[in-house]
Amino acid sequence: MIRLDTVALRRELVGFAGIVERNTYLIRRFVWWEVAWFLYTVANTLTIVFIAKGAEAAGYKLDVNRETIVLLIGAVVWSYLGLLFEIVTETVAWERWEGTIEYTFMAPLSRPAHLLGMGAFAVVYGVLRTVLLFGVVSEFLDVTFVHADFGAAMVVLAASSFSFVGIGMMTAVLPLISPEKGTQLGFIAQGLLLVISGVYYPVSVLPQWMQWLSVASPATYTLEGARKAVLDGTGVAGLWGDIWPLLLIGVIAIPAGLAVFAQGERYAKRHGRLKRSG
Amino acid sequence: MSSQPAVEVQDLRKEFIRRDGGGGVRHRRRRKRVAALHDVTFSLTRGECVAILGQNGSGKSTLVRLLSTLLQHDGGSAHVFGNDVFRRPRAVQRLVNRVSVEASFFKRMSPAENLSYSARFYGMTPRQSREAIPRILERVGFPPERRGEPMEDLSRGMQQKIALARALLVAPVLLLLDEPTTGLDPRSKLEVQGFIRSIREQHDATILLCTHDMAEAEALADRIGILHEGALICLDTADTLKRAYGAETVEAAFLAATGRQFEDEKEDE
C-alpha cells in the first residue's frame, strides 16, 4: 500500500513538473511578447506612480517620496496579481484555443497536480517579474528606500501567493464554462479584489460595506504588509498580523479553488464544453 | 486482463441541451435535450481494430470523448479493460490515448517540446522521455533535424504524425482514432494508415477507429460498425455487412443501412 502511494505520488510530482515545463517552453517561445508586455507594464506603472509628483506640482502638500512608494507598491501588487491570474486562467483558455485541453484533461494527471503546477509556475515567474518591475520603475523615480526591509516584503508576497493561487483556480474554471468571456470575467475578479483592498489608497477611505469586504481580501494584507516593510522597515515578526490572515485565507482558498474547479469541470463534462473552441 | 473485453459498452446514452434559434425579442429561446448517442452497445476484444463509420453529427466524436473521460454519460455503462470509464476515470486514462482530426498542439512549441511535457502527464520522467522521443519520432518517419521547429511550420501530415507519436509515446493499450486522416493529402494519408497498420502488428494495442472514409475502414479494421443518428445500427466484418445489405461495397452497404449519402452531412455536435 505504501509502495503504491509512493508510486502515485511520484507520478503526480512528475505531472506537476510537466505543467511547469510546458509553461516554461511557452514563455521561452513567446519571449518577445513577454518583453513587450513587460514594457507596457512599466509604462502603465509609471502613469500611476507619477501621480504623487503631479499632485505636488499642482500645489498639494504631501510627502512625495512616501506617496510615490505607496502608489508603486499598489501598482506592483496589481501587476503581480494580474500575472498570477493571467497564467492560471489564460492557460485553460489557451488550451481550449489550441485544442490541447482535451489531451490535458484526459491524461492521468490529478487536477490538484495540474492546477498547483500552474500556480507554482505563476508564483515563481510572477515574483521574478515583480522584482524586475519594481527595480526598473524605481530607476525612473527620485525616491529613497531609507528603512526598507525588502526581505520582509518578499515574505508577505510569498504568503499572499497561496491565497491568490486559490482564487486564481476559481477564476480558471470560467473559460471552461464560458469559452467566449470566461477569461475577461477573471480580470473582473482581479479588479474587484483590488478595489476593496486599498490598492492606491487606505482602506479607511472606502464606504463601510467595502471596508467589511476588504477584511476577507488577501490583497488587503499584502498591500498593508508590503507597505509597512518597504516604507517603515517593519520586519517579519512585526508583519505577523498581516501574514497570518494571508496564510489562513490561503489554507481556505486553495481547497476552495480546487473544489470550484472540480465543480466546473463536472459541468463542462456534462455539457460537452471540455473541447477545443478555436 | 486478457480474458476480459478491451472495451465493453452497454446501452450508452449521451444527450446534449440544444437551444432553439427563436429570433425576436418576445420569443424566448427554448432548450431541448437531443440524444447524441442512444443505447449504444458493443465490445472490442484485445488487439482488435474496429472502425465506426458515420456522417458528421452521427455521434462518433461523442463516443470517442466519452471513452476518453471527457464527457459524462446520461445512461448505460462503458468499461475499458474492466475499469468503469465514469467511476474510475484515472484508471482508464492510464490505458487510453487518442488521435483526433485536429492535431491539437501548442503551435509555437516544437514537436519535441510538445511530446516532452505531455509524456510527463503520464508519469514519464525527463530521462525516460529523452530516450523515447527520438525513437518514436524516427518510427513515425519524422526528420530529426525538424524536431526543434515550431509545430505551426509543419505540414498537416507532419503534425498528424506527431499526434500519433504523442499517443504511442505512452504505450496505450487502447488507441482511439477519431478521423485521423481527414484532410490529409493522399500521400500523408497513406503514410498515417501504414503507421496505424504497423502499430497493430508491433504493439498489443486495441484500436477504435472513427472515420467516414469507407476504404480506410475496410483496409484497417477487423469489424465495421455504422453509427447513424446516435444509434449503432450494425457491427460486423466488411464481408458480412455487404452480404447483409446485399451490397457490393462497404459504401453501398452504408447507404442501404442509413438511407443517406455521406454528402448529406449535418453539423457535428
Side-chain angles (χ1 to χ4, degrees), chain B residues 94-154:
Chain B
R94 287 192 196 102
L95 303 172
V96 178
N97 216 312
R98 70 186 273 223
V99 177
S100 58
V101 60
E102 293 288 343
S104 302
F105 290 101
F106 280 96
K107 306 286 187 299
R108 282 283 185 95
M109 281 163 49
S110 70
E113 288 168 344
N114 271 291
L115 294 186
S116 177
Y117 88 77
S118 57
R120 222 68 75 229
F121 295 173
Y122 289 78
M124 206 179 250
T125 62
R127 197 168 66 179
Q128 288 169 326
S129 63
R130 262 197 303 275
E131 287 169 10
I133 289 170
R135 224 175 23 235
I136 201 85
L137 288 176
E138 192 184 337
R139 269 204 64 199
V140 298
F142 187 82
E145 68 276 9
R146 301 194 68 182
R147 274 176 210 162
E149 286 183 23
M151 291 294 299
E152 63 190 0
D153 292 350
L154 305 176

Side-chain angles (χ1 to χ4, degrees), chain B residues 212-258:
Chain B
H212 52 210
D213 185 324
M214 313 274 178
E216 182 172 273
E218 194 167 3
L220 296 174
D222 302 312
R223 289 187 294 155
I224 297 173
I226 296 175
L227 195 60
H228 181 59
E229 294 177 351
L232 187 63
I233 53 180
C234 55
L235 175 60
D236 222 316
T237 62
D239 288 340
T240 310
L241 285 183
K242 285 186 236 174
R243 268 200 307 276
Y245 290 100
E248 288 193 358
T249 61
V250 171
E251 188 164 4
F254 178 87
L255 188 60
T258 63

